[in-house]
DNA sequence: TCCTTTAAGTCAACGAATCTGCCTTAACTT
DNA sequence: AAGTTAAGGCAGATTCGTTGACTTAAAGGA
């Protein structure tokens, strides 16, 4: 259900203070950052502005980080969805389709198209599972691995720079906060200790190595 | 240009080791987290696995964080694009359309649709600029502010929990790393000190308060 | 005053990436 | 043999983004 209905040249109030006392705000609200609570565990560090700043940081950092690989993808006629698939397949060779679906949280249809492209281009291969022959275990081919690496390098530069600037303890803090933002199930997923279900990435389906 | 061509029941290799020695990897590679370099500023903290973990953290945290507001949005027939617009308009009352475009990095067309919906639903109002009457300064209406707050609260819970668990110094580290990942221009944008261009959020167009 | 540029909005057409619902095939499980 | 699971497919739709060209009104420089 679309909502649009803008068409006539709406009348506009000719003064910039439409609703309640909403005067112009400065570029960004001042109270935050190091100033607020020092590096200590001050009591006020949960003020609303802090949280809103985190939203901003997240939006912009994610936007810029993902954008850094887009040039390469565009040249190849691939999209971010392809990148995500390459990333996770590269990180978990012989992953099953359903595990990949769980990681990406998209539907079979959506993944199907992306995966079809990648297989057609011979960036990904499917192998029949040995233990369960219904499964199509996904792995990168050599060209697939090469492409994934090219994409990775672009983001690596940024992340290395960010890590280096921020320093080790900051990186540790970064990780802790990021983990805290995830759903508990997701957290378990990326946590080496306490593997989700004994065996596979998601559900044990280990077959022997 | 679509690439698909999957249709015939492709022959599959019936053994799970398609390419080079890609045997099954464990749930997640072991070397990382606190184990790796302690909380100290070890020298090895830039190893590839660290970087790849950051990618994962980013993907999952962003996914889970944004998903937390989706329930409300869906009820209203709005999308994430609407949420983003509400967020930034709420954060910068009387923002101009072009400033908003710069923040979101999308095209006028895309924003146009979203904004049209929001104005039609009276969640956002446009007011003619006083200094420059070509501008349509955007602000939230009271219902718009109320909705934005509902959406915010969902995310706030997560972020507060994450901040609280991680602790103050971790939060500071989080911010530093996030800033480091952005484009320099973006960084200037969210940095109160050193405002981008004197005045407005993006370009000075301050008119007096 | 004339001319150019800018801010906003619009039309038309398209593309990427998601979704739902329903169905098939093959293989595993009981 | 019957039921369930893994993968894949078709049809159709939605959301959100794109490009390119154009209009209108206002601002600003010469």
């Amino acid at each position: 259900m679309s909502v649009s209905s803008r068409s006539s040249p709406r009348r506009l109030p000719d003064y910039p203070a439409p609703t309640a006392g909403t005067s112009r705000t400065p570029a960004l609200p001042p109270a935050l950052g190091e100033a607020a609570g020092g590096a200590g565990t001050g009591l006020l560090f949960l003020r609303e502005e802090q949280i809103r700043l985190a939203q901003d940081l997240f939006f912009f950092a994610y936007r810029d980080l993902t954008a850094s690989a887009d040039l390469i993808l565009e040249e190849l006629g691939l999209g971010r969805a392809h990148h995500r698939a390459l990333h996770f397949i590269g990180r978990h060779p012989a992953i099953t389709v359903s595990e990949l679906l769980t990681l990406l949280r998209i539907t079979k249809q959506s993944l199907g198209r992306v995966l079809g492209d990648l297989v057609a281009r011979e960036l990904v291969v499917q192998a029949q599972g040995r233990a369960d022959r219904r499964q199509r275990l996904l792995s990168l081919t050599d060209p697939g691995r090469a492409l994934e690496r090219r994409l990775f390098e672009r983001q690596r530069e940024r992340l290395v720079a960010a890590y280096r600037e921020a320093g080790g303890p900051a990186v540790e803090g970064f990780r802790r906060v990021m983990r805290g933002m995830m759903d508990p199930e997701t957290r378990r997923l990326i946590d080496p200790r306490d593997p989700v279900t004994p065996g596979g990435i998601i559900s044990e389906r280990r077959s022997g190595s």
Side-chain angles (χ1 to χ4, degrees), chain A:
Chain A
M1 58 176 83
S2 104
V3 196
S4 339
S5 73
R6 64 198 166 301
S7 42
S8 47
R10 278 150 292 165
R11 272 301 58 217
L12 292 177
D14 58 278
Y15 204 76
T19 328
T22 342
S23 61
R24 206 67 171 68
T25 32
L28 266 197
L32 47 78
E34 301 77 79
T41 325
L43 285 174
L44 329 175
F45 72 85
L46 293 179
R47 284 203 326 291
E48 174 160 334
E49 174 53 31
Q50 293 259 351
I51 303 297
R52 294 210 182 257
L53 175 63
Q55 293 182 301
D56 287 355
L57 288 168
F58 229 109
F59 172 76
F60 291 122
Y62 193 71
R63 186 194 67 173
D64 290 354
L65 183 68
T66 56
S68 65
D70 284 355
L71 294 161
I72 299 174
L73 290 167
E74 203 176 4
E75 283 172 14
L76 300 174
L78 298 174
R80 288 183 184 170
H82 299 93
H83 187 185
R84 287 193 289 271
L86 286 174
H87 170 82
F88 284 114
I89 295 172
R91 218 149 151 52
H92 305 287
I95 189 173
T96 67
V97 171
S98 29
E99 286 171 331
L100 188 51
L101 286 174
T102 304
L103 290 181
L104 295 171
R105 286 224 191 132
I106 58 176
T107 59
K108 226 189 326 176
Q109 276 305 315
S110 301
L111 180 59
R113 235 168 321 129
V114 166
L115 224 43
D117 289 348
L118 296 176
V119 170
R121 295 188 178 211
E122 302 187 354
L123 297 170
V124 166
V125 280
Q126 299 166 301
Q128 194 168 56
R130 182 170 29 48
D132 184 338
R133 284 155 46 222
R134 290 171 304 180
Q135 297 175 333
R136 299 295 125 93
L137 308 183
L138 306 169
S139 303
L140 298 184
T141 61
D142 285 334
R145 228 184 315 280
L147 172 56
E148 196 284 327
R149 178 146 293 276
R150 283 182 68 203
L151 295 168
F152 173 66
E153 287 305 327
R154 292 293 168 288
Q155 301 198 331
R156 200 184 84 98
E157 290 164 20
R158 256 171 211 274
L159 288 166
V160 165
Y163 274 17
R164 191 166 278 147
E165 276 176 40
V171 169
E172 181 50 31
F174 164 75
R175 280 197 225 111
R176 301 237 305 248
V177 173
M178 295 292 270
R179 284 185 80 259
M181 266 182 250
M182 301 180 202
D183 293 340
E185 317 90 74
T186 308
R187 209 171 303 155
R188 264 176 267 129
L189 217 61
I190 69 154
D191 197 343
R193 305 153 293 232
D194 184 20
V196 182
T197 48
I201 295 158
I202 285 144
S203 60
E204 173 49 319
R205 143 204 68 73
R206 157 112 296 90
S207 32
S209 78

